[in-house]
Amino acid sequence: MQTLGNFKLPPFFNYPPYFTLQPVRDTREKQVQLWKELILDYCKTQKISVIGLEEEFPLFSNPAIESKDLFINLCISAGSLTHEAREAFLAALVSEAGRAEWLDKGHRKCLILWHRIQDWADILLNFVKDNGLEDSVMTVEEIRSGPESRGTDLQGVDRIILMRALKLLEHKGKLAIFKGTSADDEGIKFSR
Amino acid sequence: MAGAALPTAELTTSGRPILLPNEIECSLLSNVELEPEGSPPLSSSIHLRSSFLILTTHRLIFVSDSSAAAANTASYVPLASVTHIFLLKKSIKSMFGSPRLKVQLSVGSDGRVGGMGTRSIVATLVMRGKDDVEAFVDKFRQNWGARVWEREKESESASSGSSLVVESSASSSGFDSRGMRVVGVAGILRREQEMWESTDKSLQDAFQDLNALMSKAKEMVMLAEKMRLKLLSGPSQAGSSNDEELGSKEEMQDWLLSVGIVSPVTKESAGALYHQQLSRQLADFVKIPLERSGGMINLIDMYCLFNRARGTELISPEDLLRACSLWEKFDVPVMLRKFDSGVMIIQNKSHSDEEVFARIKLLITRPDALQMGVSAGDAAMTLGIAPAMAKEHLLTAESRGLLCRDISPDGFRFYINLFPEIRTDDIYLVKDQGIYATWIKCASSPSRLQ
């Protein structure tokens, strides 16, 4: 079984047509579905929240397919997605409500929400409850890298996602966000 | 039955008359009636109505004019039975009515046309179609006067006689044309020289101008035939021929092998019925090339083959397309088909995609194809068809969900479609049975890693 770091890859990752956008509708629907599953799975285990379309992303090329011909390293390489295909698969995730969002108008960066914002908010509330943090104050950075969050999904969570979840909770009156002492960090006051 | 006294003419499946050897089609009139004069029992058996008339060098062929080819029947009057052609009547009456042409036919004692005639009757051709009647009558008179059928009989008997002479002369070292006895190498050389000169002369005559060429056409065909036979028998006796000679011989053979259409339908001969007749002739012609290319042939290839066979009477691509699209109206065994990509082909009506798909499936599930896929070229080799056609088949199979594609620097390759077998709720699950499991076995086999 092929792996990517500590991520176990499914068998069809070696199937060359998986890396070519299929023109036939039924086939393509299935292909897009499989890509969506794989991207979410991979991002979750690797804690990746942003995929840049123009950057290297390990999932988007398969060196095992590529290596069948050593002389090809030029423009398009075998077993790797074209820009069009990458955009198509990510767009499919975006169109499925709450699974991904484009970060810019040019569709160059995509925010992957392997937990939906609502789920992140629930995780935050549980985190507050479990650690008895009601009525106390924390900075955003503390939530991401503090000792309390170690070993939870919140550890190292993307700042953009965290801020979205926090704003959702503020909207519901579960906490208050205020400017902290340092310029680039906000303070959070959880309410009871 | 009307026209029972006339011999029946054979038709092809698409409703074109089958011509006799050396017979050439000259003109075609629509809506012609044959109206005999005289006593009813005889005349009713000759009476023919509502048919189109084909004038050839040998016969007047009446084909009943119905669009369904299966219902077509035809009978003919041999020009040999025509004893007299009366003048085309030019009166005020004929200016308004349909043109009528009287002919005298010799009839056997049993009242049948053709064969030895003992009596003669007069029949009238009533031409209700809007064709050029005068040109037809001229041509009719010309063909009748030419008496090609008589010359043929003569040449037949002459050729059988001459072959005897040649044989005897070959055995007894022979005489040349001036009656001089020639022997040995000198004699052979002289004979060769004479043959060469006469060939050269006929070639020169033929190329003097196009009309001369047309009139020499028959001789040219015979010459070509003779050369072909000689070439075919050549290699067995000529052991000393070198490679270059052999190459040119093969080339020559290729040129001569395709014997053309003797009597192509032309705009001149068929007039208003041109496309209809062309369509029928084409339907007859495509059968053999279709068989050879596996039941399907590219329209462009067909265009080349058809025009090659027609020789000088070339048709335009548009005419071909129109002729093909007329097939829908006739009951012919072939059809025109347009692929999604716009490529047009001719195929047998009996040809089925399912059969092709079954063969593609067989090809695509071989271990190496599972691993590396197949290209249009690979498929063309296995299926025995042109690469362009193979690609169309593969694309059709893809659109049915049988295959899927991979575009890479290796080119455009097709693989068996595994997507339906992969579960989206558990992407790691592989069923024990099925093509997905087989594929994984092949893909992870050691040959891939080497």
Side-chain angles (χ1 to χ4, degrees), chain A residues 48-102:
Chain A
I48 295 169
S49 299
V50 177
I51 297 176
L53 257 72
E54 276 146 27
E55 291 151 33
E56 282 286 306
F57 186 63
L59 209 55
F60 286 166
S61 60
N62 182 357
I65 297 178
E66 217 167 334
S67 67
K68 73 186 171 191
D69 192 336
L70 291 173
F71 297 101
I72 299 158
N73 270 317
L74 304 169
C75 34
I76 35 164
S77 48
S80 117
L81 288 180
T82 60
H83 190 276
E84 184 200 0
R86 292 172 194 213
E87 193 173 335
F89 298 141
L90 290 175
L93 270 181
V94 171
S95 67
E96 196 178 325
R99 276 321 195 172
E101 279 170 34
W102 294 114

Side-chain angles (χ1 to χ4, degrees), chain A residues 121-159:
Chain A
D122 290 345
I123 290 167
L124 261 174
L125 284 181
N126 284 332
F127 167 75
V128 171
K129 207 185 283 171
D130 292 350
N131 292 288
L133 292 165
E134 294 95 337
D135 282 335
S136 54
V137 173
M138 277 184 98
T139 66
V140 173
E141 264 318 302
E142 270 176 319
I143 298 175
R144 289 183 68 216
S145 50
E148 294 89 348
S149 65
R150 197 161 294 154
T152 69
D153 278 351
L154 284 172
Q155 186 186 8
V157 65
D158 190 83
R159 208 183 154 82

Side-chain angles (χ1 to χ4, degrees), chain B residues 133-278:
Chain B
V133 173
E134 297 213 356
F136 167 77
V137 174
D138 282 349
K139 196 80 202 165
F140 182 25
R141 216 174 276 283
Q142 208 180 316
N143 285 355
W144 179 62
R147 303 202 160 264
V148 183
W149 58 94
E150 279 177 13
R151 253 190 282 154
E152 240 158 55
K153 268 181 206 152
E154 277 168 24
S155 67
E156 257 170 44
S157 53
S159 69
S160 56
S162 70
S163 68
L164 273 175
V165 172
V166 169
E167 267 167 38
S168 65
S169 72
S171 57
S172 67
S173 73
F175 293 84
D176 76 350
S177 52
R178 281 154 296 186
M180 278 170 66
R181 196 182 151 84
V182 279
V183 281
V185 179
I188 294 168
L189 280 178
R190 183 181 291 172
R191 254 210 312 278
E192 281 288 313
Q193 176 80 17
E194 265 173 27
M195 229 173 73
W196 174 242
E197 272 169 8
S198 71
T199 313
D200 198 38
K201 192 168 174 295
S202 65
L203 274 172
Q204 268 176 2
D205 286 354
F207 286 111
Q208 251 166 12
D209 65 41
L210 267 179
N211 276 335
L213 177 66
M214 295 308 276
S215 65
K216 286 269 178 188
K218 204 181 139 194
E219 260 175 71
M220 286 292 107
V221 170
M222 273 165 62
L223 187 67
E225 276 290 306
K226 219 190 275 173
M227 280 161 102
R228 189 170 75 88
L229 286 176
K230 207 169 178 184
L231 283 173
L232 284 177
S233 62
S236 57
Q237 46 183 267
S240 63
S241 61
N242 54 28
D243 284 349
E244 196 186 325
E245 214 171 289
L246 213 68
S248 70
K249 260 185 188 173
E250 269 169 18
E251 212 174 308
M252 190 72 171
Q253 248 174 30
D254 277 345
W255 290 340
L256 297 173
L257 262 178
S258 59
V259 178
I261 297 170
V262 182
S263 175
V265 172
T266 63
K267 271 188 175 140
E268 208 178 300
S269 73
L273 294 166
Y274 175 61
H275 283 111
Q276 213 194 79
Q277 289 298 307
L278 185 68

Side-chain angles (χ1 to χ4, degrees), chain B residues 2 21 199 212 264 346 381 405:
Chain B
T199 313
I346 294 169
M381 293 242 272
R405 66 175 64 182

